[in-house]
Coordinates of all heavy atoms in Angstrom, one line a residue:
M426 N 69.0 82.2 99.4 CA 70.3 81.9 100.1 C 70.9 83.3 100.4 O 70.9 84.2 99.6 CB 71.2 81.2 99.1 CG 72.6 81.0 99.6 SD 74.0 80.4 98.6 CE 73.3 79.2 97.5
P427 N 71.4 83.4 101.7 CA 71.9 84.7 102.1 C 73.2 85.0 101.4 O 74.0 84.1 101.1 CB 72.2 84.6 103.6 CG 72.2 83.1 103.8 CD 71.4 82.5 102.8
Q428 N 73.5 86.2 101.0 CA 74.7 86.6 100.4 C 75.8 86.8 101.4 O 75.6 87.4 102.4 CB 74.5 87.9 99.6 CG 74.3 87.8 98.1 CD 74.4 89.1 97.4 OE1 73.8 90.0 97.9 NE2 75.0 89.1 96.3
T429 N 76.9 86.3 101.1 CA 78.1 86.5 102.0 C 78.9 87.7 101.5 O 79.3 87.8 100.3 CB 79.1 85.3 101.9 OG1 78.3 84.1 102.2 CG2 80.2 85.4 102.8
P430 N 79.0 88.7 102.4 CA 79.8 89.9 102.0 C 81.2 89.5 101.6 O 81.7 88.5 102.1 CB 79.7 90.7 103.2 CG 78.5 90.3 104.0 CD 78.4 88.8 103.7
L431 N 81.7 90.2 100.7 CA 83.1 89.9 100.2 C 84.1 90.6 101.0 O 83.9 91.7 101.6 CB 83.1 90.4 98.7 CG 82.1 89.9 97.8 CD1 82.1 90.7 96.5 CD2 82.4 88.4 97.5
P432 N 85.3 90.0 101.1 CA 86.4 90.7 101.8 C 86.8 91.9 100.9 O 87.0 91.8 99.7 CB 87.5 89.7 101.8 CG 87.2 88.7 100.8 CD 85.7 88.7 100.6
V433 N 86.9 93.0 101.6 CA 87.3 94.3 100.9 C 88.8 94.6 101.2 O 89.2 94.5 102.3 CB 86.4 95.4 101.3 CG1 86.8 96.7 100.7 CG2 84.9 95.1 101.0
R434 N 89.5 94.9 100.1 CA 90.9 95.3 100.3 C 91.0 96.8 99.9 O 90.5 97.2 98.8 CB 91.8 94.5 99.5 CG 92.0 93.1 100.0 CD 93.1 92.3 99.3 NE 93.0 92.5 97.8 CZ 94.1 92.4 97.0 NH1 95.2 92.1 97.5 NH2 94.0 92.6 95.7
L435 N 91.7 97.5 100.7 CA 92.1 98.9 100.3 C 93.6 98.9 100.1 O 94.4 98.8 101.1 CB 91.7 99.8 101.5 CG 92.1 101.3 101.3 CD1 91.4 101.9 100.1 CD2 91.8 102.1 102.5
L436 N 94.0 99.1 98.9 CA 95.4 99.2 98.5 C 95.7 100.6 98.6 O 95.1 101.5 98.0 CB 95.6 98.6 97.2 CG 95.3 97.1 97.0 CD1 94.0 96.9 96.4 CD2 96.4 96.4 96.3
V437 N 96.8 101.0 99.3 CA 97.3 102.3 99.4 C 98.7 102.4 98.9 O 99.6 101.7 99.4 CB 97.2 102.9 100.8 CG1 97.7 104.3 100.9 CG2 95.8 102.7 101.4
C438 N 98.9 103.2 97.9 CA 100.3 103.4 97.4 C 101.1 104.2 98.4 O 100.8 105.4 98.6 CB 100.3 104.1 96.0 SG 102.0 104.4 95.5
V439 N 102.1 103.6 99.0 CA 102.9 104.3 100.0 C 104.1 105.0 99.4 O 104.8 105.7 100.1 CB 103.3 103.3 101.1 CG1 102.2 102.7 101.8 CG2 104.2 102.2 100.5
T440 N 104.3 104.9 98.1 CA 105.4 105.6 97.5 C 104.9 106.9 96.8 O 105.7 107.6 96.2 CB 106.1 104.7 96.5 OG1 105.2 104.2 95.5 CG2 106.8 103.6 97.2
C441 N 103.6 107.2 96.8 CA 103.1 108.4 96.1 C 103.7 109.6 96.9 O 103.8 109.7 98.1 CB 101.6 108.4 96.2 SG 100.7 107.6 94.9
K442 N 104.0 110.6 96.0 CA 104.4 111.9 96.5 C 103.7 112.9 95.7 O 103.2 112.6 94.6 CB 105.9 112.0 96.5 CG 106.5 112.0 95.1 CD 108.0 112.0 95.1 CE 108.7 112.1 93.8 NZ 108.4 111.0 92.9
R443 N 103.7 114.2 96.2 CA 103.1 115.2 95.4 C 104.2 116.3 95.2 O 105.2 116.4 95.9 CB 101.9 115.8 96.2 CG 100.8 114.8 96.3 CD 99.6 115.3 97.1 NE 99.0 116.4 96.4 CZ 98.0 116.4 95.7 NH1 97.3 115.3 95.4 NH2 97.5 117.6 95.2
E444 N 103.9 117.1 94.1 CA 104.9 118.1 93.7 C 105.2 119.0 94.9 O 104.3 119.5 95.7 CB 104.3 119.0 92.6 CG 105.3 119.8 91.9 CD 104.7 120.5 90.7 OE1 104.0 119.8 89.9 OE2 104.9 121.7 90.6
G445 N 106.4 119.3 95.2 CA 106.8 120.1 96.3 C 107.1 119.4 97.6 O 107.5 120.0 98.5
D446 N 106.8 118.1 97.6 CA 107.0 117.4 98.8 C 108.5 117.3 99.2 O 109.4 117.3 98.3 CB 106.6 115.9 98.7 CG 105.1 115.7 98.9 OD1 104.4 116.8 99.2 OD2 104.6 114.6 98.7
D447 N 108.8 117.3 100.5 CA 110.2 117.1 101.0 C 110.5 115.6 100.8 O 109.9 114.8 101.4 CB 110.2 117.5 102.4 CG 111.5 117.2 103.1 OD1 112.5 116.7 102.4 OD2 111.7 117.4 104.3
L448 N 111.4 115.3 99.9 CA 111.8 113.9 99.6 C 112.5 113.2 100.7 O 112.6 112.0 100.7 CB 112.6 113.9 98.3 CG 111.8 114.4 97.0 CD1 112.7 114.3 95.8 CD2 110.5 113.7 96.8
E449 N 112.9 114.0 101.7 CA 113.5 113.3 102.9 C 112.5 112.9 103.9 O 112.8 112.1 104.8 CB 114.5 114.3 103.5 CG 115.6 114.7 102.6 CD 116.5 113.6 102.1 OE1 116.8 112.7 102.9 OE2 116.8 113.6 100.9
A450 N 111.3 113.4 103.8 CA 110.2 113.1 104.7 C 109.4 111.9 104.3 O 109.5 111.5 103.1 CB 109.3 114.3 104.8
P451 N 108.7 111.2 105.1 CA 107.9 110.1 104.7 C 106.9 110.6 103.6 O 106.4 111.7 103.6 CB 107.1 109.7 105.9 CG 107.9 110.2 107.1 CD 108.6 111.4 106.6
R452 N 106.7 109.7 102.6 CA 105.9 110.1 101.4 C 104.4 110.3 101.9 O 103.9 109.7 102.9 CB 105.9 108.9 100.4 CG 107.3 108.6 99.9 CD 107.6 109.6 98.8 NE 108.9 109.4 98.3 CZ 109.2 108.8 97.1 NH1 108.3 108.3 96.4 NH2 110.5 108.7 96.7
Q453 N 103.7 111.2 101.1 CA 102.3 111.4 101.5 C 101.5 110.2 101.5 O 100.6 110.0 102.3 CB 101.7 112.5 100.5 CG 102.1 113.9 100.8 CD 101.1 114.9 100.5 OE1 99.9 114.6 100.6 NE2 101.5 116.0 100.1
G454 N 101.8 109.3 100.5 CA 101.0 108.0 100.4 C 101.3 107.2 101.7 O 100.3 106.6 102.2
S455 N 102.4 107.2 102.2 CA 102.8 106.5 103.4 C 102.0 107.1 104.6 O 101.5 106.4 105.5 CB 104.3 106.5 103.7 OG 104.6 105.8 104.9
R456 N 102.0 108.4 104.6 CA 101.2 109.1 105.7 C 99.7 108.9 105.6 O 99.1 108.7 106.6 CB 101.6 110.6 105.7 CG 103.0 110.9 106.0 CD 103.3 112.3 106.4 NE 102.8 113.3 105.5 CZ 103.5 113.9 104.5 NH1 104.7 113.6 104.3 NH2 102.9 114.8 103.7
L457 N 99.2 108.8 104.4 CA 97.8 108.5 104.2 C 97.5 107.1 104.7 O 96.5 106.8 105.3 CB 97.5 108.6 102.7 CG 96.0 108.2 102.3 CD1 95.0 109.0 103.1 CD2 95.8 108.4 100.8
A458 N 98.4 106.1 104.3 CA 98.2 104.7 104.8 C 98.2 104.7 106.3 O 97.4 104.0 106.9 CB 99.3 103.8 104.2
D459 N 99.1 105.4 107.0 CA 99.2 105.4 108.4 C 97.9 105.9 109.0 O 97.3 105.4 110.0 CB 100.3 106.2 108.9 CG 101.7 105.6 108.7 OD1 101.7 104.4 108.3 OD2 102.7 106.3 108.8
A460 N 97.3 107.0 108.4 CA 96.1 107.6 108.9 C 94.9 106.7 108.7 O 94.1 106.5 109.6 CB 95.8 108.9 108.2
L461 N 94.9 106.0 107.5 CA 93.8 105.1 107.2 C 93.8 103.9 108.2 O 92.7 103.4 108.5 CB 93.8 104.7 105.8 CG 93.3 105.7 104.8 CD1 93.7 105.4 103.4 CD2 91.8 105.9 104.9
A462 N 95.0 103.5 108.6 CA 95.1 102.3 109.4 C 94.3 102.5 110.7 O 93.8 101.5 111.3 CB 96.5 102.0 109.7
G463 N 94.1 103.7 111.2 CA 93.4 103.9 112.4 C 92.0 104.3 112.2 O 91.3 104.5 113.2
M464 N 91.5 104.2 111.0 CA 90.1 104.7 110.9 C 89.2 103.7 110.0 O 88.0 104.0 109.8 CB 90.0 106.1 110.3 CG 90.6 106.3 108.9 SD 90.4 108.0 108.2 CE 91.4 109.0 109.3
L465 N 89.8 102.6 109.5 CA 89.0 101.8 108.6 C 88.0 100.9 109.4 O 88.2 100.5 110.5 CB 89.9 100.8 107.9 CG 90.8 101.4 106.9 CD1 91.7 100.4 106.3 CD2 90.0 102.1 105.8
P466 N 86.8 100.7 108.8 CA 85.8 99.8 109.5 C 86.3 98.4 109.5 O 87.2 98.0 108.6 CB 84.6 100.0 108.6 CG 85.1 100.5 107.3 CD 86.3 101.2 107.5
E467 N 85.8 97.6 110.4 CA 86.2 96.2 110.5 C 85.8 95.5 109.2 O 84.7 95.9 108.6 CB 85.6 95.5 111.7 CG 86.2 96.0 113.0 CD 85.7 95.2 114.2 OE1 85.7 93.9 114.0 OE2 85.4 95.8 115.2
G468 N 86.6 94.6 108.7 CA 86.2 93.9 107.5 C 86.9 94.5 106.3 O 86.8 94.0 105.2
V469 N 87.6 95.6 106.4 CA 88.4 96.2 105.4 C 89.9 96.0 105.7 O 90.3 96.5 106.7 CB 88.0 97.7 105.1 CG1 88.9 98.3 104.0 CG2 86.6 97.9 104.8
A470 N 90.6 95.4 104.8 CA 92.0 95.1 105.0 C 92.8 96.1 104.3 O 92.6 96.4 103.0 CB 92.3 93.7 104.5
L471 N 93.7 96.8 105.0 CA 94.6 97.7 104.4 C 95.8 97.0 103.8 O 96.4 96.2 104.5 CB 95.0 98.8 105.4 CG 96.1 99.8 105.0 CD1 95.5 100.8 104.0 CD2 96.6 100.5 106.2
Q472 N 96.2 97.3 102.6 CA 97.3 96.7 102.0 C 98.2 97.8 101.4 O 97.9 98.3 100.3 CB 96.9 95.7 100.9 CG 98.1 95.0 100.3 CD 97.7 93.9 99.4 OE1 96.6 93.5 99.3 NE2 98.7 93.4 98.6
P473 N 99.3 98.1 102.0 CA 100.3 99.0 101.4 C 100.9 98.4 100.2 O 101.2 97.2 100.2 CB 101.3 99.3 102.5 CG 100.7 98.7 103.8 CD 99.8 97.6 103.3
V474 N 101.0 99.2 99.1 CA 101.6 98.7 97.9 C 102.6 99.8 97.4 O 102.5 101.0 97.8 CB 100.6 98.4 96.8 CG1 99.7 97.3 97.2 CG2 99.8 99.6 96.4
E475 N 103.5 99.4 96.5 CA 104.4 100.4 95.9 C 104.1 100.6 94.5 O 104.4 99.8 93.6 CB 105.9 99.9 96.1 CG 106.3 99.9 97.5 CD 107.8 99.5 97.7 OE1 108.5 99.3 96.7 OE2 108.2 99.4 98.8
C476 N 103.3 101.6 94.2 CA 102.8 102.1 92.9 C 101.6 101.3 92.4 O 101.6 100.1 92.4 CB 103.9 102.0 91.9 SG 103.5 103.0 90.5
L477 N 100.6 102.1 92.1 CA 99.4 101.5 91.5 C 99.3 102.0 90.0 O 98.2 101.9 89.4 CB 98.1 102.0 92.3 CG 98.0 101.3 93.6 CD1 97.0 102.1 94.5 CD2 97.5 99.9 93.4
G478 N 100.4 102.5 89.5 CA 100.4 103.0 88.1 C 99.6 104.2 87.8 O 99.1 104.5 86.7
N479 N 99.4 105.0 88.9 CA 98.6 106.2 88.7 C 99.4 107.4 89.3 O 98.8 108.3 89.9 CB 97.3 106.0 89.5 CG 96.2 107.1 89.2 OD1 96.1 107.5 88.0 ND2 95.5 107.6 90.2
C480 N 100.7 107.4 89.0 CA 101.6 108.3 89.7 C 101.3 109.8 89.4 O 101.5 110.6 90.2 CB 103.0 108.0 89.3 SG 103.4 106.2 89.3
K481 N 100.8 110.0 88.2 CA 100.5 111.4 87.9 C 99.3 112.0 88.6 O 99.0 113.2 88.6 CB 100.3 111.6 86.3 CG 101.6 111.4 85.5 CD 101.4 111.6 84.1 CE 102.7 111.5 83.4 NZ 102.6 111.7 81.9
R482 N 98.5 111.1 89.2 CA 97.4 111.5 90.0 C 97.5 111.1 91.5 O 96.5 110.8 92.1 CB 96.1 110.9 89.4 CG 95.9 111.2 87.9 CD 95.5 112.6 87.6 NE 94.2 113.0 88.2 CZ 93.0 112.9 87.7 NH1 92.9 112.5 86.5 NH2 92.0 113.3 88.4
S483 N 98.7 111.1 91.9 CA 98.9 110.7 93.3 C 98.4 111.8 94.3 O 98.3 113.0 93.9 CB 100.4 110.4 93.6 OG 101.2 111.6 93.5
C484 N 98.1 111.4 95.5 CA 98.2 110.0 96.1 C 97.1 109.1 95.5 O 96.0 109.6 95.2 CB 98.1 110.1 97.6 SG 99.5 111.1 98.3
T485 N 97.3 107.8 95.5 CA 96.4 106.9 94.9 C 96.1 105.8 95.9 O 96.9 105.2 96.5 CB 97.0 106.3 93.6 OG1 97.2 107.4 92.7 CG2 96.0 105.4 93.0
V486 N 94.8 105.4 95.9 CA 94.3 104.2 96.6 C 93.4 103.4 95.6 O 92.9 103.9 94.6 CB 93.6 104.5 97.9 CG1 94.4 105.4 98.8 CG2 92.2 105.1 97.6
A487 N 93.2 102.1 95.9 CA 92.3 101.3 95.1 C 91.5 100.4 96.1 O 92.0 99.9 97.1 CB 93.1 100.4 94.1
L488 N 90.3 100.2 95.7 CA 89.3 99.3 96.5 C 89.0 98.1 95.6 O 88.7 98.3 94.4 CB 88.0 100.1 96.8 CG 88.0 100.9 98.0 CD1 86.7 101.7 98.0 CD2 88.1 100.1 99.3
S489 N 89.2 97.0 96.2 CA 88.9 95.8 95.5 C 88.2 94.7 96.4 O 88.4 94.7 97.6 CB 90.1 95.2 94.8 OG 90.9 94.6 95.8
A490 N 87.5 93.8 95.7 CA 86.9 92.7 96.4 C 86.7 91.6 95.3 O 86.5 92.0 94.1 CB 85.6 93.0 97.0
P491 N 86.8 90.3 95.6 CA 86.6 89.3 94.6 C 85.3 89.4 93.9 O 84.2 89.7 94.5 CB 86.6 88.0 95.4 CG 87.3 88.3 96.7 CD 87.0 89.8 97.0
G492 N 85.4 89.3 92.6 CA 84.2 89.4 91.7 C 83.6 90.7 91.5 O 82.6 90.9 90.9
T493 N 84.4 91.8 91.9 CA 83.9 93.1 91.7 C 85.0 93.9 90.9 O 86.1 93.4 90.7 CB 83.7 93.9 93.0 OG1 85.0 94.2 93.6 CG2 82.8 93.2 94.0
W494 N 84.6 95.0 90.3 CA 85.5 95.9 89.7 C 86.5 96.4 90.8 O 86.1 96.4 92.0 CB 84.8 97.1 89.1 CG 84.0 96.8 87.9 CD1 83.5 95.5 87.5 CD2 83.6 97.7 86.8 NE1 82.8 95.6 86.3 CE2 82.9 96.9 85.9 CE3 83.8 99.0 86.7 CZ2 82.3 97.5 84.8 CZ3 83.2 99.6 85.5 CH2 82.5 98.9 84.6
T495 N 87.6 96.9 90.3 CA 88.6 97.5 91.2 C 88.5 99.0 90.9 O 88.5 99.4 89.8 CB 90.0 97.0 91.0 OG1 90.1 95.7 91.4 CG2 91.0 97.8 91.9
Y496 N 88.3 99.8 92.0 CA 88.1 101.3 91.8 C 89.4 102.0 92.3 O 89.8 101.7 93.4 CB 86.9 101.8 92.6 CG 85.6 101.2 92.0 CD1 85.0 100.0 92.4 CD2 84.9 102.0 91.0 CE1 83.9 99.6 91.9 CE2 83.7 101.5 90.5 CZ 83.2 100.3 90.9 OH 82.1 99.9 90.4
V497 N 89.9 102.8 91.4 CA 91.1 103.5 91.7 C 90.7 105.0 92.0 O 90.0 105.6 91.2 CB 92.1 103.5 90.6 CG1 93.4 104.3 90.9 CG2 92.5 102.0 90.3
F498 N 91.2 105.5 93.1 CA 91.0 106.9 93.4 C 92.3 107.6 93.5 O 93.3 107.2 94.1 CB 90.3 107.0 94.8 CG 89.0 106.3 94.9 CD1 88.9 105.0 95.3 CD2 87.8 107.0 94.6 CE1 87.7 104.4 95.4 CE2 86.6 106.4 94.6 CZ 86.5 105.0 95.0
G499 N 92.4 108.8 92.8 CA 93.6 109.6 92.8 C 93.4 111.0 93.3 O 92.3 111.4 93.7
D500 N 94.5 111.8 93.2 CA 94.5 113.2 93.6 C 94.2 113.3 95.1 O 93.6 114.3 95.5 CB 93.6 114.0 92.7 CG 94.1 114.2 91.3 OD1 95.3 114.1 91.1 OD2 93.2 114.3 90.4
L501 N 94.6 112.3 95.8 CA 94.4 112.4 97.3 C 95.6 113.0 98.0 O 96.7 113.1 97.4 CB 94.2 111.0 97.8 CG 93.0 110.2 97.2 CD1 93.0 108.8 97.7 CD2 91.7 110.9 97.5
T502 N 95.5 113.4 99.2 CA 96.6 113.8 100.0 C 96.6 113.0 101.3 O 95.8 112.1 101.5 CB 96.5 115.3 100.4 OG1 95.4 115.4 101.4 CG2 96.2 116.2 99.2
D503 N 97.6 113.3 102.2 CA 97.7 112.6 103.4 C 96.5 112.9 104.4 O 96.4 112.3 105.4 CB 99.0 112.8 104.1 CG 99.3 114.3 104.3 OD1 98.6 115.2 103.8 OD2 100.3 114.6 105.0
E504 N 95.7 113.9 104.0 CA 94.5 114.3 104.8 C 93.2 113.8 104.2 O 92.1 114.2 104.6 CB 94.5 115.8 104.9 CG 95.7 116.3 105.7 CD 95.7 117.9 105.8 OE1 94.8 118.5 105.2 OE2 96.5 118.4 106.5
S505 N 93.3 112.8 103.2 CA 92.1 112.4 102.5 C 91.5 111.1 103.1 O 90.5 110.6 102.5 CB 92.5 112.1 101.0 OG 92.9 113.2 100.4
G506 N 91.9 110.7 104.3 CA 91.3 109.6 104.9 C 89.8 109.6 105.0 O 89.1 108.6 104.6
P507 N 89.2 110.7 105.5 CA 87.8 110.7 105.6 C 87.1 110.6 104.2 O 86.0 110.0 104.1 CB 87.5 112.1 106.2 CG 88.7 112.4 107.0 CD 89.8 111.8 106.2
D508 N 87.7 111.1 103.2 CA 87.1 111.0 101.8 C 87.2 109.5 101.3 O 86.3 109.0 100.7 CB 87.9 111.9 100.8 CG 87.7 113.4 101.2 OD1 86.6 113.8 101.6 OD2 88.7 114.1 101.0
V509 N 88.3 108.9 101.7 CA 88.4 107.5 101.3 C 87.3 106.6 102.0 O 86.7 105.7 101.4 CB 89.8 106.9 101.6 CG1 89.9 105.4 101.4 CG2 90.8 107.6 100.8
L510 N 87.0 107.0 103.3 CA 86.0 106.3 104.0 C 84.6 106.4 103.3 O 83.8 105.5 103.3 CB 85.9 106.8 105.5 CG 87.1 106.4 106.4 CD1 86.8 107.0 107.8 CD2 87.3 104.9 106.4
V511 N 84.3 107.6 102.8 CA 83.1 107.8 102.1 C 83.0 106.9 100.9 O 82.0 106.3 100.5 CB 82.9 109.3 101.7 CG1 81.8 109.5 100.7 CG2 82.8 110.2 102.9
G512 N 84.2 106.7 100.2 CA 84.2 105.8 99.0 C 84.0 104.4 99.4 O 83.5 103.6 98.6
I513 N 84.4 104.0 100.6 CA 84.2 102.6 101.1 C 82.8 102.3 101.5 O 82.4 101.2 101.4 CB 85.2 102.4 102.3 CG1 86.6 102.4 101.9 CG2 84.9 101.0 103.0 CD1 87.7 102.3 103.0
E514 N 82.1 103.3 102.0 CA 80.7 103.1 102.5 C 79.8 102.2 101.8 O 79.2 101.3 102.4 CB 80.0 104.4 102.7 CG 80.1 105.0 104.1 CD 79.4 106.3 104.2 OE1 78.4 106.6 103.6 OE2 80.0 107.2 105.0
P515 N 79.7 102.3 100.5 CA 78.7 101.4 99.8 C 79.2 100.0 99.6 O 78.5 99.2 99.1 CB 78.5 102.1 98.4 CG 79.6 103.1 98.3 CD 80.2 103.3 99.6
W516 N 80.4 99.7 99.9 CA 81.0 98.3 99.7 C 80.4 97.4 100.7 O 80.2 97.7 101.9 CB 82.5 98.4 99.7 CG 83.1 98.9 98.5 CD1 82.9 100.2 98.0 CD2 83.8 98.2 97.5 NE1 83.5 100.3 96.8 CE2 84.1 99.1 96.5 CE3 84.3 96.9 97.5 CZ2 84.9 98.8 95.4 CZ3 85.1 96.6 96.4 CH2 85.3 97.5 95.3
P517 N 80.2 96.1 100.3 CA 79.7 95.1 101.2 C 80.8 94.7 102.1 O 81.7 93.9 101.8 CB 79.3 94.0 100.2 CG 80.2 94.1 99.0 CD 80.4 95.6 98.9
I518 N 80.8 95.1 103.3 CA 81.8 94.8 104.3 C 81.5 93.5 105.0 O 80.3 93.3 105.4 CB 81.9 95.9 105.4 CG1 82.0 97.3 104.8 CG2 83.0 95.6 106.4 CD1 83.3 97.5 104.1
P519 N 82.4 92.6 105.0 CA 82.1 91.3 105.7 C 81.9 91.5 107.2 O 82.6 92.3 107.8 CB 83.4 90.4 105.4 CG 84.4 91.4 105.0 CD 83.8 92.6 104.5
P520 N 81.0 90.6 107.7 CA 80.8 90.7 109.2 C 82.1 90.2 109.9 O 82.8 89.4 109.4 CB 79.6 89.9 109.5 CG 79.6 88.9 108.3 CD 80.2 89.6 107.1
T521 N 82.3 90.7 111.1 CA 83.4 90.1 111.9 C 82.8 89.0 112.8 O 81.7 89.0 113.1 CB 84.0 91.3 112.8 OG1 83.0 91.8 113.6 CG2 84.7 92.3 111.9
A522 N 83.7 88.1 113.1 CA 83.3 86.9 113.9 C 83.1 87.3 115.4 O 83.6 88.3 115.9 CB 84.3 85.8 113.8
Ligands
FES657 S1 103.9 106.1 93.0 FE1 101.9 106.0 93.7 S2 100.7 105.3 92.0 FE2 102.8 105.3 91.3

């Protein structure tokens, strides 16, 4: 029986900030989410969230799919989009219709 790839969700904490950030400017996590929105492969759903409980290691994202572990990645910046893509690569991306 062929395996059906699982829907992959990328949760991005949009409230993450880093030490020294201008608190009047958009948060780094929000800027990271904006950057990732334009570079994700099809089949990966971006879900902005407010806090992943990893605030001391911000910016933070998490990868999840039904029946799999959830992987949390921290110490990211608004320029970490390409690194997040490397983390997504081994995940089973569902085909698009
Ligand atoms: S504010 Fe981003 S993990 Fe808590």
